Amino acid sequence: DSGVTQTPKHLITATGQRVTLRCSPRSGDLSVYWYQQSLDQGLQFLIQYYNGEERAKGNILERFSAQQFPDLHSELNLSSLELGDSALYFCASSVAGLTNEKLFFGSGTQLSVL
Amino acid sequence: TQLLEQSPQFLSIQEGENLTVYCNSSSVFSSLQWYRQEPGEGPVLLVTVVTGGEVKKLKRLTFQFGDARKDSSLHITAAQPGDTGLYLCAVAGTSYDKVIFGPGTSLSVIP
């Protein structure tokens, strides 16, 4: 158990809909990362937060947004969903958000867009 | 264009064999990490290397960071079925940069 909690584990929805994925980082970790994993694209970096502030951004679509709340949990919002958004979404956390730190990953949310 | 390349993409070997997988790029990195991911789970960190030429050992696994800090290798001695998984390398340009993962090497060790 990594200590990172992601909910829900599975999500099935239709095209055009909006969903929210939730992540609770490990106790004491200030930084949260979101990644998208699909068979053809691998593990793609979406966005990173540190103590409530955005620290780094990857190729995150404009239809996607995220935030980290004062209690350090994070949410990833996906809107106007398309078939291609079907993927496994991972949240990870680390103590201070430095790149040589260990990232602790949750078990992921499997999103299926039908 | 892939920032990171990993080879081979797939590898299937018999228990007891040795193997090496590679992570390559044309860019220089401040640090490089290796993770292993099992089906249905998130990646788990195996090692972090930060110094060019650095070699680290973790039981039967040997990790090496290239002298120029652009590439790395992971060697497994006497592979076991428990080594089966997706091996991912991850890099960052600076200490505060985003952490980017390679496409991975999928290893299957057959009993």
Side-chain angles (χ1 to χ4, degrees):
Chain A
D1 182 10
S2 67
V4 178
T5 302
Q6 287 189 248
T7 56
K9 284 191 70 68
H10 303 277
L11 199 48
I12 301 174
T13 188
T15 55
Q17 295 298 304
R18 172 189 170 94
V19 297
T20 298
L21 313 183
R22 183 186 169 96
C23 170
S24 294
R26 236 173 36 120
S27 178
D29 285 358
L30 297 178
S31 194
V32 169
Y33 308 71
W34 286 98
Y35 287 85
Q36 178 192 58
Q37 188 174 39
S38 59
L39 285 176
D40 57 340
Q41 294 292 319
L43 196 60
Q44 296 290 311
F45 172 75
L46 296 178
I47 199 162
Q48 179 197 358
Y49 285 86
Y50 173 75
N51 205 21
E53 299 290 325
E54 181 183 306
R55 172 169 277 183
K57 206 168 186 175
N59 294 325
I60 186 168
L61 299 173
E62 285 192 11
R63 301 184 286 109
F64 296 2
S65 65
Q67 55 183 324
Q68 185 180 28
F69 294 88
D71 67 352
L72 301 178
H73 91 272
S74 179
E75 293 181 356
L76 178 66
N77 299 295
L78 314 176
S79 62
S80 303
L81 285 167
E82 302 176 358
L83 295 177
D85 297 328
S86 295
L88 194 51
Y89 291 83
F90 284 106
C91 168
S93 71
S94 70
V95 175
L98 300 178
T99 53
N100 59 353
E101 288 182 335
K102 181 175 181 177
L103 294 186
F104 292 86
F105 281 82
S107 296
T109 293
Q110 179 69 60
L111 174 66
S112 299
V113 182
L114 306 178
Chain B
T1 301
Q2 277 278 17
L3 177 64
L4 279 179
E5 296 181 343
Q6 290 190 245
S7 60
Q9 188 177 359
F10 298 98
L11 189 56
S12 181
I13 62 170
Q14 294 291 132
E15 181 176 359
E17 293 184 353
N18 301 331
L19 67 114
T20 302
V21 298
Y22 302 91
C23 175
N24 297 287
S25 175
S26 57
S27 302
V28 177
F29 302 110
S30 64
S31 64
L32 187 146
Q33 297 176 316
W34 284 94
Y35 287 78
R36 181 172 67 213
Q37 183 180 17
E38 298 185 16
E41 298 297 326
V44 176
L45 180 68
L46 297 173
V47 76
T48 299
V49 286
V50 297
T51 304
E54 182 176 3
V55 177
K56 281 191 174 180
K57 292 194 174 185
L58 182 66
K59 297 183 181 178
R60 295 176 293 100
L61 278 59
T62 302
F63 305 86
Q64 183 161 10
F65 201 12
D67 291 341
R69 291 187 288 130
K70 293 182 179 181
D71 52 76
S72 179
S73 63
L74 159 57
H75 182 80
I76 301 179
T77 303
Q80 298 178 1
D83 297 326
T84 293
L86 180 67
Y87 288 81
L88 297 157
C89 62
V91 298
T94 68
S95 295
Y96 298 95
D97 208 349
K98 51 194 175 186
V99 178
I100 303 299
F101 282 79
T105 292
S106 179
L107 171 65
S108 178
V109 182
I110 303 165

